[in-house]
Amino acid sequence: MNKTNRIAYGDRIYARVMKNGRTILDFMTESVSNLSELITQLRNLMTDFRGMVMIHIRNYHQGWGAQRLLMV
């Protein structure tokens, strides 16, 4: 993410978490105000998974999408 990809509380955020090309979690929220809060919520939902995952993030209110690797 860069400085133009901001998250504001109330934005509709969709996140898809993939591991080895397979979707392991589809998630939607409007109750995070930054990327750290989003990652915390995703980690809490992925307690059974370990290793590197790819997160595809889409902010529908601000019109941007991004990808990032995450070690869980």
Side-chain angles (χ1 to χ4, degrees), residues 33-70:
S33 57
N34 58 47
L35 183 61
S36 295
E37 289 180 10
L38 175 63
I39 289 175
T40 298
Q41 286 190 11
L42 293 174
R43 283 182 189 264
N44 289 339
L45 294 170
M46 295 186 295
T47 56
D48 294 338
F49 292 97
R50 297 287 180 258
M52 189 72 67
V53 296
M54 175 66 75
I55 303 173
H56 300 273
I57 302 166
R58 176 88 176 123
N59 185 326
Y60 274 78
H61 283 146
Q62 296 186 20
W64 59 263
Q67 310 184 95
R68 96 180 260 139
L69 289 171
L70 177 67

Side-chain angles (χ1 to χ4, degrees), residues 4-57:
T4 61
N5 293 351
R6 298 180 190 257
I7 297 175
Y9 190 85
D11 286 354
R12 181 169 292 158
I13 307 295
Y14 288 93
R16 172 171 285 150
V17 180
M18 300 184 76
K19 182 173 183 174
N20 299 327
R22 184 177 61 110
T23 300
I24 59 173
L25 177 65
D26 277 320
F27 180 72
M28 191 278 300
T29 186
E30 294 180 355
S31 61
V32 295
S33 57
N34 58 47
L35 183 61
S36 295
E37 289 180 10
L38 175 63
I39 289 175
T40 298
Q41 286 190 11
L42 293 174
R43 283 182 189 264
N44 289 339
L45 294 170
M46 295 186 295
T47 56
D48 294 338
F49 292 97
R50 297 287 180 258
M52 189 72 67
V53 296
M54 175 66 75
I55 303 173
H56 300 273
I57 302 166

